[in-house]
């Protein structure tokens, strides 16, 4: 007899700097990058093991349905509560995670949320000394 597994999913709205947006349904056992690929959405990626940071997104807002009306914390960016990682995101420093950056190749959402995506998000992580 086949065993059926049930998994929760969350709406993740992807937002590019040029104004494009797409909302995808991401299962909790799936990474954002995997769900985007299944939806034929091209996101930048490199290693898929959290070492290169090419897939970096920035959490913009979370939707917490249990937050009471008028709660000032509604929509606050807390990346540690919003995502679970399959393995340690080695390419991000603590300060990057504190600022809401997330590696989409390893991260699975735990809430509905909005994420800034695209290659420009990766360039926000490191200052270019040659410019």
């Amino acid at each position: 007899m086949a065993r059926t597994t049930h998994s929760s999913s969350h709406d993740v709205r992807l937002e590019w700097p040029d104004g494009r947006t797409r909302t995808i349904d991401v299962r909790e056992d799936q990474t954002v990058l995997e769900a985007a690929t299944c939806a034929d959405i091209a996101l930048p990626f490199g290693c898929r093991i959290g070492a290169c940071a090419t897939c970096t997104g920035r959490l913009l807002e979370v939707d917490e349905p249990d937050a009471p009306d008028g709660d000032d914390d509604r929509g606050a960016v807390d990346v540690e509560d919003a995502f679970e990682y399959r393995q340690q995101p080695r390419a991000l420093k603590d300060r990057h995670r504190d600022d809401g950056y997330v590696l989409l190749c390893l991260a699975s959402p735990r809430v509905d949320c909005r994420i800034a995506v695209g290659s420009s998000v990766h360039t926000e992580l490191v200052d270019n000394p040659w410019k």
Side-chain angles (χ1 to χ4, degrees):
M1 179 174 182
R3 183 175 176 176
T4 303
T5 59
H6 298 281
S7 176
S8 296
S9 64
H10 300 282
D11 289 336
V12 175
R13 181 179 162 118
L14 307 172
E15 299 183 8
W16 286 264
D18 64 3
R20 288 179 296 138
T21 64
R22 290 279 305 269
T23 300
I24 57 175
D25 185 58
V26 185
R27 297 187 324 260
E28 288 190 348
D29 64 347
Q30 204 175 28
T31 67
V32 175
L33 181 61
E34 290 169 344
T37 301
C38 288
D40 289 328
I41 298 171
L43 294 178
F45 70 91
C47 66
R48 288 186 181 257
I49 60 170
C52 74
T54 303
C55 66
T56 302
R58 185 169 28 86
L59 183 63
L60 299 171
E61 183 179 37
V62 297
D63 183 16
E64 299 180 60
D66 295 333
D69 290 340
D71 185 348
D72 290 339
D73 291 336
R74 184 175 176 86
V77 177
D78 188 349
V79 74
E80 299 299 325
D81 293 336
F83 292 95
E84 183 171 308
Y85 280 108
R86 287 186 174 170
Q87 63 190 57
Q88 182 68 23
R90 295 179 297 159
L92 293 180
K93 298 179 187 290
D94 289 343
R95 64 184 162 88
H96 296 142
R97 289 194 295 271
D98 290 346
D99 289 341
Y101 291 100
V102 57
L103 297 183
L104 303 179
C105 71
L106 299 176
S108 301
R110 294 299 177 254
V111 293
D112 293 351
C113 59
R114 294 175 38 232
I115 305 172
V117 296
S119 59
S120 62
V121 177
H122 175 250
T123 61
E124 294 172 7
L125 295 178
V126 181
D127 289 330
N128 181 350
W130 309 111
K131 60 180 176 178

